[in-house]
Amino acid sequence: YDTTALVTRYTYTELERMTPALPDYLQGKLWQNAGVWFCDRRDTLTALRCYHRALSVDTTQTSTWLMLGLLYEKQGNLLAVDTIYPKILAQGTASQVSVVHQLLSERHQKNNDFIGAARHYRNYQAAAQQVIAARDTRKILELQAEHERLKAAYREYRRTTLLVSVILVLTVLAIVIILQGRRIIHRHRMRLEKQMEANAVLEEKMAP
C-alpha cells in the first residue's frame, strides 16, 4: 500500500478523513510520511501534528520519535526534546541512538559541559561502531548469498553444457550411422545390379 502517494496527493484535512479506514500500522506509516512531506515544505506545525498522529497510533515507532525530536531540536524546544530522546536511547536502533548521542554531545559542548559532551561522544562512537558492524555483517551475508547464487548458476551451466555436449555427440554418431548405412545400402544395391546383369547375360546365352 503506497502511503507516500496518498501523502503527496491529499491535504492534511483529507488525510485525516480517510485514515480511520486504514489498519493501525498503515495509519502510523502514513502519518510519519506526511510529517516528512510537510517538514520538507517547511510547514513545521503540520509536520508536528502528523508526527503526533503517528505516535498516537503506535508509540513504539522510534523512527517517528527521532523525527519529532529533530524537529523540536530545530525549533529549540529542548524541554520537548529531553522527553523524547530517552525513549530513543532506550528502544531505538543503533543508528538512531548514535544520532541522539551526537546531538547531545554537541549540546553539552555548546554549554561548556565538556565532561557530558565527552560521555555522549563515547556513546555515539560505540553506537556508530555497532552500525558499521551491522552493515559489514549484512554486506558479508549479501556476498555469501551472491556467491551461492553464482555457484548454483555455474552448476546449472555445467549441467547444460554437458547435456549439449552429449546431444552433439549423439547427433554426430547418428549422422555417422546414417551415412554408413547409406554406403552399405549403396554397395548392396550395386552388387544386386551386377548380379542381375550377370544373370541376364547368362539367360541370353542359354536361350535357344
Side-chain angles (χ1 to χ4, degrees):
Y1 199 91
D2 191 0
T3 57
T4 304
L6 291 177
V7 167
T8 58
R9 192 180 304 165
Y10 299 102
T11 65
Y12 177 89
T13 304
E14 290 170 332
L15 291 173
E16 206 170 26
R17 284 199 297 266
M18 71 173 62
T19 49
L22 299 176
D24 287 349
Y25 77 96
L26 280 180
Q27 288 189 44
K29 186 178 179 182
L30 184 144
W31 285 117
Q32 185 190 77
N33 289 339
V36 175
W37 171 262
F38 287 111
C39 190
D40 289 343
R41 279 145 191 78
R42 302 182 185 279
D43 189 348
T44 304
L45 293 178
T46 306
L48 288 173
R49 292 171 66 190
C50 291
Y51 289 142
H52 281 291
R53 287 296 297 269
L55 292 168
S56 69
V57 176
D58 183 4
T59 59
T60 64
Q61 295 183 67
T62 51
S63 57
T64 305
W65 280 115
L66 181 58
M67 292 174 186
L68 182 62
L70 292 174
L71 196 53
Y72 278 134
E73 184 93 36
K74 186 177 179 181
Q75 287 184 320
N77 188 346
L78 299 184
L79 289 176
V81 168
D82 289 339
T83 64
I84 292 172
Y85 284 171
K87 295 182 175 65
I88 300 169
L89 294 177
Q91 303 174 17
T93 64
S95 178
Q96 295 165 354
V97 169
S98 69
V99 170
V100 171
H101 279 303
Q102 184 180 19
L103 292 171
L104 291 174
S105 177
E106 292 173 356
R107 189 201 301 178
H108 282 286
Q109 189 174 1
K110 288 178 183 177
N111 294 333
N112 296 322
D113 180 6
F114 298 108
I115 294 176
R119 183 179 71 254
H120 283 292
Y121 185 74
R122 285 193 298 270
N123 291 333
Y124 155 72
Q125 286 183 316
Q129 286 298 323
Q130 291 179 17
V131 174
I132 293 171
R135 287 175 181 170
D136 290 343
T137 301
R138 284 197 300 271
K139 188 64 177 177
I140 291 171
L141 292 175
E142 289 171 1
L143 289 174
Q144 289 176 342
E146 181 64 21
H147 179 63
E148 291 301 323
R149 284 195 293 271
L150 289 174
K151 284 173 61 179
Y154 179 69
R155 286 194 296 268
E156 184 63 27
Y157 166 77
R158 289 292 301 272
R159 283 195 294 269
T160 304
T161 303
L162 179 61
L163 180 61
V164 171
S165 300
V166 170
I167 292 172
L168 286 174
V169 170
L170 292 175
T171 303
V172 171
L173 287 174
I175 292 172
V176 170
I177 291 170
I178 291 170
L179 293 175
Q180 187 68 24
R182 285 181 177 178
R183 283 195 290 269
I184 293 171
I185 292 171
H186 178 70
R187 286 197 296 268
H188 184 65
R189 183 184 297 164
M190 293 296 293
R191 289 195 194 99
L192 287 176
E193 289 177 355
K194 288 180 180 179
Q195 186 65 40
M196 290 174 65
E197 289 177 359
N199 290 338
V201 170
L202 183 60
E203 288 177 357
E204 287 177 1
K205 290 180 178 181
M206 292 178 66

